[in-house]
Amino acid sequence: MRTPTENGADAYDLGHHGDRETAEGLVDLAVNVRTGTPPPWLAARIADSLADLARYPDGRAARAAVAARHGRADAREVLLTAGAAEAFVLLARALRPRCAVVVHPQFTEPEAALRAAGHPVHRVLLTAADGFRLDPAAVPEQADLVVVGNPTNPTSVLHPAADLRQLARPGRTLVVDEAFMDSVPGEGESLAAARDVPGLLVLRSLTKTWGLAGLRIGYVLGGRQPVAALERAQPLWAVSAPALVAAQACTEPAALAEAEAAAVRTAADRAHLLALLAAVPGVTVAGTAPAAPFVLLRLPDAAAVRERLRADGWAVRRGDTFPGLGPRWLRVAVRDRTTSDAFAAALRAALRA
């Protein structure tokens, strides 16, 4: 665990995301959206909503449905957003942190949004030697805003909810990005339903499991006052009518059962991929028990390997744009077993070249 540092300009490209790695004709292991989505029933529901596009969006039903899905009786504890990424911008607009801390490596948009709003950002850098596990004591006491992912992108580490609870303090906003939590069977370490953690805001996305990256739908869960502050910073009608329909549809019992089944399949497919990678000389998987629909790999000359893979038809996510990582890291999405078998063979060939 490294000491926190205030960041200025540095070499990390915080605006780089996996979609910039993809291209026509490449097998996409760079973006973590589940393949084969959105499912036909969800696409049909969204298509049916187009008949009402002349009306301004009314989010009340979707907001209530999301609240109920997480055991919250008060819909004012939910804010629907144009993707989870919008929530980071709203946080940067609504809050005036004196000491904002982002725990890295993680999704870079929280820091990018805070920087863009003029807030200094301090980094707590988790290390490979510690399995990228969080030590709550590493976060400085004076931090009045802390942002952490769970499970974390790109490390695939699932932090215990008990450790995250230790970060809560009176006067501190604790933001837990759970964009990939619905890909964890049972969601056992989620804080989405927690109402006893002071200053807690939980962010969720419907992009990954349901394949809605182009629709932009996510939400924030938290106390009424902080949620209201974020809502005041949000433009009117920020979430489209089709996105609201998707939010409501994805909280229904049949959809939740489908998401859980998908999470179980992903866990089995990840175990298969990890077994394949364990047999590839020179490749190390980050952490001890990856929990997300992607894995983080350390390997020699990763940049050259990535280019060789690309030439062979494979897109993977570079790791050196994440603070705390460097040029030896790549992130790879979990896919079906046939795809993983082919990727492992391609990776071996790229390492030999």
Side-chain angles (χ1 to χ4, degrees):
M1 191 80 60
R2 302 179 192 173
T3 56
T5 58
E6 183 173 349
N7 67 285
D10 58 27
Y12 295 108
D13 181 0
L14 301 181
H16 185 92
H17 300 294
D19 59 313
R20 287 171 58 180
E21 309 277 1
T22 62
E24 188 72 27
L26 298 180
V27 180
D28 181 8
L29 304 185
V31 174
N32 297 314
V33 174
R34 183 165 63 100
T35 57
T37 53
W41 66 265
L42 180 55
R45 291 277 288 273
I46 294 169
D48 289 345
S49 74
L50 300 182
D52 291 327
L53 287 186
R55 301 178 184 176
Y56 283 94
D58 183 346
R60 287 176 293 182
R63 199 169 183 173
V66 171
R69 180 256 192 271
H70 293 290
R72 294 173 179 263
D74 191 344
R76 289 171 293 183
E77 296 179 356
V78 174
L79 180 65
L80 300 169
T81 57
E86 189 203 12
F88 295 121
V89 175
L90 299 180
L91 285 163
R93 290 176 179 172
L95 302 182
R96 296 292 181 267
R98 296 180 302 277
C99 180
V101 168
V102 179
V103 179
H104 283 292
Q106 77 153 338
F107 185 50
T108 53
E109 280 304 303
E111 180 172 325
L114 288 165
R115 277 187 177 189
H119 304 303
V121 177
H122 300 255
R123 293 173 179 162
V124 169
L125 301 180
L126 310 184
T127 67
D130 295 328
F132 295 110
R133 311 297 300 190
L134 173 68
D135 177 3
V139 176
E141 281 294 324
Q142 67 268 29
D144 57 354
L145 171 63
V146 178
V147 185
V148 61
N150 202 40
T152 304
N153 173 20
T155 63
S156 200
V157 170
L158 182 65
H159 301 295
D163 289 350
L164 297 177
R165 284 175 173 270
Q166 290 184 49
L167 295 176
R169 304 278 190 283
R172 172 185 288 177
T173 300
L174 172 60
V175 179
V176 181
D177 177 8
E178 293 191 356
F180 291 98
M181 187 61 78
D182 61 355
S183 66
V184 178
E187 300 188 10
E189 304 301 334
S190 174
L191 291 175
R195 304 179 75 249
D196 60 342
V197 181
L200 175 67
L201 291 171
V202 174
L203 276 54
R204 286 287 189 117
S205 171
L206 298 176
T207 292
K208 321 303 180 186
T209 289
W210 297 109
L212 299 176
L215 194 63
R216 311 309 305 139
I217 178 64
Y219 52 89
V220 181
L221 303 161
R224 284 171 51 181
Q225 289 186 349
V227 167
L230 297 181
E231 188 169 15
R232 288 192 293 272
Q234 187 180 43
L236 290 173
W237 308 295
V239 180
S240 70
L244 293 172
V245 166
Q248 190 168 356
C250 292
T251 62
E252 294 171 355
L256 296 179
E258 182 175 328
E260 176 67 12
V264 171
R265 287 194 302 273
T266 296
D269 290 339
R270 183 178 58 245
H272 181 75
L273 174 61
L274 291 173
L276 293 170
L277 294 171
V280 179
V283 174
T284 301
V285 177
T288 56
F294 48 84
V295 295
L296 180 64
L297 309 182
R298 182 170 59 188
L299 62 161
D301 205 11
V305 169
R306 181 170 62 89
E307 291 302 324
R308 292 173 198 144
L309 286 168
R310 190 175 185 83
D312 195 32
W314 300 88
V316 297
R317 171 68 159 90
R318 59 189 287 195
D320 60 350
T321 63
F322 293 98
L325 299 183
R328 298 188 64 192
W329 296 94
L330 297 175
R331 191 193 69 195
V332 177
V334 174
R335 300 296 189 222
D336 62 87
R337 298 186 182 199
T338 300
T339 301
S340 291
D341 289 344
F343 170 70
L347 179 59
R348 284 178 177 272
L351 285 164
R352 288 195 301 266

